[in-house]
Amino acid sequence: MSQSTAGREATPRHYLMCRPTYFDVTYAINPWMDPGKPVDTDLAVEQWDALRRLYLEHGHTVDVIDPVEGLPDMVFAANGATVVDDRVLVARFRHAERAAEAAAYHEWFISRGYPRVHTAEYVNEAEGDYMVLGDRILAGTGFRTDPRAHAELARALGREVVTLTLVDPRFYHLDTALAVLSDTEVMYYPGAFSARSLDVLRALYPDAVLVGEEDAEVFGLNAVSDGLRVFLPDTATRLAGQLRDRGFRPVGVDLSELLKAGGSVKCCTLEIRHRTGA
Ligand code: ARG
């Protein structure tokens, strides 16, 4: 049954991205990473730039942060900070290999004049594990973000926080297992969550788009929605059909090089949410 796109509306977004100039896979901190496999950094840059241009073509604003040599995962900007109402909670990374990224993001927001930039006490990998929708933040834990960080998040950003526990190491960040489609709608792969968290999700989002393992495995859930278009890996074909049936417009993106580090569309995209109506 197809619904029309009538009623769905895109709203212009503000994104922060980081060019993968120094992208490589030199260590393995998730099951997708294999340092023995060659990486084509130029191709990664090309694919990343295509995503950046796609956002611009669709009317979104994209800022870029300078990449830092020696930080090959810095392209995954979603992990740098969580921004709500212009308030910034900077990440604290679980692994030493990525720790220095936090300072670069901190510095970027300070230099842009954001008045409230919080340094996190507990390990949190920002939008990798924190999904903002409506007045709520869905917060993942299990592999990266410390569950104690969830209360810190609620305090720093002044939003209700709902904890979700991830159980499958392939889906180590919440943004590999669940995506926000609108202020009230999500899509997720049920196999990535603990039984209790599934109960929570079913209660909060009874009409969620349930995604199959084949689409989840190609990072179909690592998607960015502007309310109408859903930017997602072009290999998630069944999921694209499910989204169309809901009135969304899937836009397929090829980020195959970045997938070698266990990241895709959403990982490359930090959304800066501004204060409205104030
Ligand atoms: N190699 C990176 C890591 O394991 C990938 C991060 C992907 N980012 C994300 N938001 N899921 O930390």
Side-chain angles (χ1 to χ4, degrees), residues 29-30 33 73 76 78-79 98 128 144 172-173 175 261-262 267:
I29 56 173
N30 71 54
M33 300 176 87
D73 272 335
F76 300 118
N79 299 128
R98 298 196 66 187
R144 297 290 180 89
Y172 58 93
H173 272 144
D175 74 356
C267 298

Side-chain angles (χ1 to χ4, degrees), residues 223-238:
V224 169
S225 169
D226 67 13
L228 171 61
R229 300 160 206 116
V230 181
F231 303 92
L232 80 172
D234 56 5
T235 42
T237 48
R238 179 166 169 258

Side-chain angles (χ1 to χ4, degrees), residues 194-237:
S194 71
R196 266 190 76 176
S197 295
L198 271 184
D199 287 343
V200 171
L201 281 171
R202 286 190 194 113
L204 290 176
Y205 305 103
D207 297 325
V209 177
L210 300 182
V211 177
E213 188 172 12
E214 327 78 65
D215 287 317
E217 274 187 321
V218 295
F219 272 60
L221 285 154
N222 202 244
V224 169
S225 169
D226 67 13
L228 171 61
R229 300 160 206 116
V230 181
F231 303 92
L232 80 172
D234 56 5
T235 42
T237 48

Side-chain angles (χ1 to χ4, degrees), residues 11-17 55 60-63 77-89 105 108-109 114 126-128 130-133 157 180-181 183 223-227 265-274:
T11 49
R13 310 290 170 130
H14 183 185
Y15 298 130
L16 177 60
M17 298 178 73
Y55 287 146
H60 303 301
T61 302
V62 179
D63 274 327
N79 299 128
T82 308
V83 188
V84 171
D85 294 335
D86 287 319
R87 294 197 218 175
V88 182
L89 178 63
Y105 282 92
W108 191 88
F109 283 100
Y114 285 80
E127 285 200 8
Y130 295 160
M131 309 276 102
V132 180
L133 75 163
L157 301 185
V180 171
L181 294 170
D183 280 353
V224 169
S225 169
D226 67 13
V265 178
K266 171 62 207 159
C267 298
C268 293
T269 314
L270 189 170
E271 183 168 351
I272 300 179
R273 300 176 190 81
H274 296 286

